[in-house]
Amino acid sequence: MSSEPKNAAEIDVENGLAGIRGFEYSGVSAGLKASGGKDVALVRNVGPEFTAAAVFTTNRFAAAPVEWSREVVRDGRVDVVVLNSGGANACTGTEGFRNTHRTAEEVASLTDAAAGDVLVCSTGLIGEQLPMDLLLPGLRDAAGSLGEGPEHDDAAASAIMTTDTVSKKASVTLQTEQGPVRIGGIAKGAGMLAPGLATMLVVLATDASMSADNLDAALRSATERSFDRADSDGCMSTNDTVALLASGASGAVPEQEEFTDALTRVCVSLALQLIGDAEGASHDIHVTTAGAASEAQALEVSRAVARSNLFKCAIFGNDPNWGRILSEVGTTSVDFDSSDVNVSINGVMVCRGGAIGEDRSLVDLAADRTVDVVIDLGAGSESGTIWTNDLTHDYVEENSAYSS
Amino acid sequence: MSSEPKNAAEIDVENGLAGIRGFEYSGVSAGLKASGGKDVALVRNVGPEFTAAAVFTTNRFAAAPVEWSREVVRDGRVDVVVLNSGGANACTGTEGFRNTHRTAEEVASLTDAAAGDVLVCSTGLIGEQLPMDLLLPGLRDAAGSLGEGPEHDDAAASAIMTTDTVSKKASVTLQTEQGPVRIGGIAKGAGMLAPGLATMLVVLATDASMSADNLDAALRSATERSFDRADSDGCMSTNDTVALLASGASGAVPEQEEFTDALTRVCVSLALQLIGDAEGASHDIHVTTAGAASEAQALEVSRAVARSNLFKCAIFGNDPNWGRILSEVGTTSVDFDSSDVNVSINGVMVCRGGAIGEDRSLVDLAADRTVDVVIDLGAGSESGTIWTNDLTHDYVEENSAYSS
């Protein structure tokens, strides 16, 4: 990442919320998941400050919890985030919205908050009503289980998983003049990952003291450089939510730019964990476009390649089929001359000047899970990377059987 | 099709070029395909007229034969079309262009044509040079085998196949005041099917007497309503070519509108045959958007749904997962209010008013290969259909192993 400071502290992927002062969290099983696994999580800010920001899916069929939460965060204050897996509560009409409202009211009464300060997130199948007879007792159980530390962190991170095979956590310590600040969070999402966010729920927290406006600016910058660049299958969800809550419990007020950088690093780690656990994937693919006239053009080219099913099947087959890269580049309208374009796969320049380069058999795709594709347009000095994954039998299997 | 006349003659899918007066054709094996199957085809107009039109891929990495053929058709005359499978001759630089030029010269000398009247089409792997030592003798063999009738028709249609499992042919008879006119053609293409054309080679012929301008207008109208609405995997090829040659041998001059309608019906038949044989597909899916403010908006919505991997995997699993339809509709910017949208799958309205409709278990997807999805936006009276197919294990298998 170009935005990564040289001496940045290491990202901690063992702890998400654990270690961030001023927060309690929990994860319990309410019976929403057929598997019996944990499916309800709470993240509670205990202050002394309660500032917050959030970004949401741009899908016009936004789920009921997204409609609700957009209003909640408008005043820059969130006290509690309640999350459930086992049902998206999307395309569920007025009954769905009533269920979200009731969920917020119940959580508010359990945590001494106002319902208007309770953010609600749901994930799972679209087009089914939530079983409120199971969810409401689950909320009481989750409120009774609130606490801090690694065990509670693990429980919350597990409770938001759907087809994820592992939970996702990341955090980092930022040194300030008033002492250390901690920033971290938990994430879920393994399919339907696309820009404008993904089927992705992310709860980020910090013990820094930050105004809601500064949180909002930092969050928008961080998501643009992280989750928005992860594109697993080009599909946009109805439920995506990334929330950021600040407790001020550290008493420290970080510089805006340093805070944004640290937050971005946490978000990049979570985004790469999401891609690394994408449904059925056997390769993580980093598609970098360099030599572009602008960063936006670089990202447009990288995204076009990252969305090619033919390219993604070839990578699954460990086949460095660069023709499928060029044919996607050729569908874009960005600045380049076709005879200037070079393509390297894992360091081997298989295409030079828009034509045949090194022997494709020199590329070894079987050795490593990560595949590096670099497209040099020869049209400028800007670059940008999109992270994606291959298209596999397991993706087809998981997504042909998900709702049944 | 709304453009289909009430009393239109039946489409004949047994004959493509056979029965069209003024043409000779052939298909032979030159050894380009590892399988030893036929891989070189010729279609020769023997007149008395030689008008022609063609449309090509809009990919900026257009293959050498496309660059060549664009120039050939510019004057509205084509005498011969030469086609090869077993190699796309795309991204092959100046050597690739020389090979296309040499191919045209060889065919010209074999058929008493000018090289500038020889259209060249290639299909196969991108980024490899054609084995000219095999192709040139193949051209001589193909020229020696030219003839007319069903056997030659079959040979030509087979020689252009790549991963196609069956050859594609369609033709129709149009009655005019000066007697019957025949219009028909052959097509190939099974993956990389997308708008702006697909990896698709189509040679259409007619014994009507038509000016090059009228052929061009008819061809553009017909392809817009047929091949451009077939979208198998969203990938655009470097080699797509649809050519239309007229011999005038019938002596009849059809009305422009009637000719265009008949040509469109032939192209729709070929497009549906392409989708029906798309790589690994187990379902043909017709995605119709109705109640749209314009036809363009209807097609935009249908295309967004047709490109959703999640939706296409669900159909493969016989799962009427309508949430994956709405979530794609919600990514578009066309006119609709989310509470007005209905979705039917095979006649069952599973989504009503943007929320839960009939029980999804009433939809039977296993009974039939064809799946009809109708999205009613409730925002107007226009409609449009995109034809696609499901995303299956066999698609992944074929496309992860194609070049190796």
Side-chain angles (χ1 to χ4, degrees):
Chain A
M1 291 294 300
S2 56
S3 64
E4 187 169 327
K6 286 265 185 305
N7 299 311
E10 284 293 310
I11 292 287
D12 172 4
V13 296
E14 301 298 319
N15 294 289
L17 300 168
I20 304 177
R21 289 160 287 183
F23 288 92
E24 296 176 346
Y25 25 91
S26 62
V28 301
S29 172
L32 306 177
K33 278 180 182 166
S35 67
K38 291 187 174 66
D39 46 24
V40 173
L42 286 178
V43 179
R44 183 187 184 199
N45 185 351
V46 295
E49 297 172 8
F50 300 89
T51 54
V55 292
F56 301 96
T57 182
T58 56
N59 198 299
R60 292 168 68 190
F61 284 100
V66 168
E67 301 277 9
W68 170 267
S69 296
R70 276 203 187 106
E71 295 307 313
V72 166
V73 80
R74 203 176 288 277
D75 65 359
R77 174 172 181 149
V78 172
D79 289 16
V80 192
V81 184
V82 53
L83 311 97
N84 75 274
S85 51
N89 196 6
C91 305
T92 45
T94 51
E95 183 181 343
F97 194 81
R98 273 201 307 271
N99 286 338
T100 287
H101 191 172
R102 182 140 177 234
T103 299
E105 293 278 5
E106 182 71 18
V107 169
S109 77
L110 290 164
T111 59
D112 293 323
D117 295 327
V118 177
L119 211 70
V120 182
C121 304
S122 298
T123 178
L125 185 63
I126 300 171
E128 300 279 355
Q129 298 294 352
L130 287 176
M132 295 303 288
D133 56 326
L134 297 174
L135 180 56
L136 293 173
L139 297 175
R140 292 190 275 275
D141 189 11
S145 309
L146 281 164
E148 57 183 308
E151 264 182 51
H152 289 86
D153 195 12
D154 285 342
S158 299
I160 60 175
M161 289 164 58
T162 52
T163 55
D164 307 64
T165 65
V166 292
S167 61
K168 286 89 178 174
K169 294 174 287 187
S171 53
V172 72
T173 299
L174 176 64
Q175 298 298 340
T176 77
E177 289 183 4
Q178 300 115 319
V181 156
R182 192 86 185 158
I183 306 167
I186 57 175
K188 68 81 45 178
M192 236 189 192
L193 293 173
L197 304 186
T199 287
M200 194 172 58
L201 300 181
V202 183
V203 182
L204 299 158
T206 180
D207 46 26
S209 174
M210 299 279 290
S211 73
D213 283 349
N214 286 349
L215 284 181
D216 187 69
L219 184 62
R220 286 179 193 281
S221 172
T223 54
E224 191 210 319
R225 301 190 72 81
S226 55
F227 301 116
D228 281 355
R229 298 190 181 185
D231 193 332
S232 171
D233 60 11
C235 293
M236 180 199 282
S237 158
T238 50
N239 288 60
D240 312 312
T241 303
V242 181
L244 170 60
L245 282 61
S247 69
S250 69
V253 183
E255 293 291 325
Q256 180 72 10
E257 190 180 329
E258 289 179 359
F259 181 83
T260 302
D261 281 347
L263 180 67
T264 301
R265 295 181 64 235
V266 169
C267 291
V268 166
S269 172
L270 291 172
L272 290 175
Q273 290 179 53
L274 292 172
I275 286 290
D277 192 32
E279 283 171 350
S282 66
H283 281 104
D284 303 340
I285 311 174
H286 296 203
V287 184
T288 299
T289 300
S294 69
E295 186 183 31
Q297 292 196 359
L299 292 171
E300 180 184 340
V301 170
S302 290
R303 196 179 298 286
V305 174
R307 289 195 170 178
S308 163
N309 282 351
L310 287 173
F311 164 67
K312 291 159 72 141
C313 284
I315 297 297
F316 170 54
N318 290 321
D319 171 13
N321 195 328
W322 58 269
R324 294 179 180 175
I325 297 173
L326 279 203
S327 66
E328 287 300 325
V329 177
T331 65
T332 70
S333 55
V334 309
D335 297 326
F336 70 82
D337 185 299
S338 60
S339 62
D340 291 337
V341 176
N342 300 332
V343 176
S344 297
I345 304 178
N346 284 355
V348 180
M349 194 177 287
V350 286
C351 169
R352 184 177 290 118
I356 303 165
E358 300 296 312
D359 190 327
R360 66 178 79 200
S361 69
L362 297 174
V363 180
D364 182 5
L365 291 172
D368 197 359
R369 184 178 170 97
T370 300
V371 176
D372 273 305
V373 173
V374 179
I375 301 149
D376 190 329
L377 298 178
S381 57
E382 299 299 318
S383 65
T385 301
I386 296 288
W387 308 304
T388 188
N389 46 263
D390 52 357
L391 178 55
T392 68
H393 287 300
D394 288 350
Y395 177 90
V396 173
E397 189 61 28
E398 287 195 38
N399 286 299
S400 60
Y402 182 49
S403 84
S404 51
Chain B
M1 289 294 299
S2 56
S3 63
E4 188 169 327
K6 286 262 185 304
N7 298 310
E10 285 292 311
I11 292 286
D12 171 4
V13 296
E14 301 298 320
N15 295 290
L17 300 168
I20 304 177
R21 289 159 288 183
F23 288 92
E24 297 177 346
Y25 24 91
S26 62
V28 300
S29 172
L32 305 176
K33 279 180 182 166
S35 68
K38 291 188 175 65
D39 46 25
V40 171
L42 286 178
V43 179
R44 183 187 185 200
N45 185 351
V46 294
E49 297 172 9
F50 300 89
T51 54
V55 292
F56 301 96
T57 182
T58 57
N59 198 298
R60 292 169 68 190
F61 284 100
V66 169
E67 301 277 8
W68 170 267
S69 296
R70 275 203 185 107
E71 295 306 312
V72 166
V73 80
R74 204 175 286 278
D75 66 357
R77 173 171 182 149
V78 172
D79 289 18
V80 192
V81 184
V82 54
L83 312 96
N84 75 271
S85 51
N89 195 6
C91 304
T92 45
T94 51
E95 184 181 344
F97 194 81
R98 274 200 306 271
N99 285 338
T100 288
H101 191 171
R102 186 146 173 227
T103 300
E105 294 277 6
E106 182 70 19
V107 169
S109 79
L110 291 165
T111 59
D112 293 322
D117 294 328
V118 177
L119 210 71
V120 183
C121 304
S122 299
T123 179
L125 185 64
I126 300 171
E128 301 278 354
Q129 299 294 352
L130 286 176
M132 296 304 286
D133 57 325
L134 297 175
L135 180 56
L136 293 173
L139 298 175
R140 293 189 276 275
D141 189 11
S145 309
L146 282 165
E148 56 183 308
E151 264 183 50
H152 289 86
D153 195 12
D154 285 342
S158 299
I160 60 175
M161 289 164 59
T162 52
T163 54
D164 307 64
T165 65
V166 292
S167 61
K168 286 89 178 176
K169 294 175 287 185
S171 54
V172 72
T173 299
L174 175 65
Q175 298 298 340
T176 76
E177 289 182 5
Q178 300 116 320
V181 156
R182 192 86 185 157
I183 306 166
I186 56 175
K188 68 79 47 177
M192 236 187 192
L193 292 175
L197 305 186
T199 288
M200 191 171 58
L201 300 181
V202 183
V203 181
L204 299 158
T206 180
D207 46 25
S209 174
M210 300 277 292
S211 73
D213 284 348
N214 285 350
L215 284 180
D216 188 68
L219 183 62
R220 286 179 194 281
S221 172
T223 54
E224 193 210 316
R225 301 189 72 83
S226 56
F227 302 116
D228 280 355
R229 298 191 181 185
D231 193 333
S232 170
D233 60 12
C235 293
M236 179 198 283
S237 157
T238 50
N239 289 58
D240 313 312
T241 302
V242 182
L244 170 60
L245 282 61
S247 69
S250 69
V253 183
E255 293 291 326
Q256 180 73 10
E257 192 181 328
E258 289 179 0
F259 181 82
T260 302
D261 281 347
L263 180 67
T264 301
R265 295 181 64 233
V266 169
C267 291
V268 167
S269 173
L270 290 171
L272 291 175
Q273 289 179 54
L274 292 172
I275 287 290
D277 192 32
E279 284 172 347
S282 67
H283 281 105
D284 303 340
I285 312 174
H286 296 203
V287 184
T288 299
T289 299
S294 69
E295 185 183 31
Q297 291 196 359
L299 291 171
E300 181 184 340
V301 169
S302 290
R303 196 180 297 286
V305 173
R307 289 197 171 176
S308 164
N309 282 351
L310 287 172
F311 163 68
K312 291 160 72 141
C313 283
I315 297 297
F316 169 54
N318 291 320
D319 172 13
N321 195 329
W322 58 270
R324 294 179 179 175
I325 298 172
L326 278 203
S327 65
E328 287 301 324
V329 177
T331 65
T332 69
S333 56
V334 310
D335 297 325
F336 69 82
D337 185 299
S338 60
S339 63
D340 291 337
V341 176
N342 300 332
V343 176
S344 297
I345 304 178
N346 283 355
V348 179
M349 194 178 286
V350 286
C351 169
R352 184 177 290 118
I356 304 165
E358 300 296 312
D359 190 328
R360 66 177 80 201
S361 69
L362 297 174
V363 180
D364 183 5
L365 291 172
D368 198 358
R369 183 178 171 97
T370 300
V371 176
D372 273 305
V373 173
V374 179
I375 301 148
D376 190 329
L377 298 178
S381 57
E382 298 299 319
S383 64
T385 301
I386 296 288
W387 309 303
T388 189
N389 46 263
D390 51 357
L391 178 55
T392 69
H393 287 299
D394 287 351
Y395 177 90
V396 172
E397 188 63 25
E398 286 195 39
N399 287 299
S400 60
Y402 181 51
S403 85
S404 52

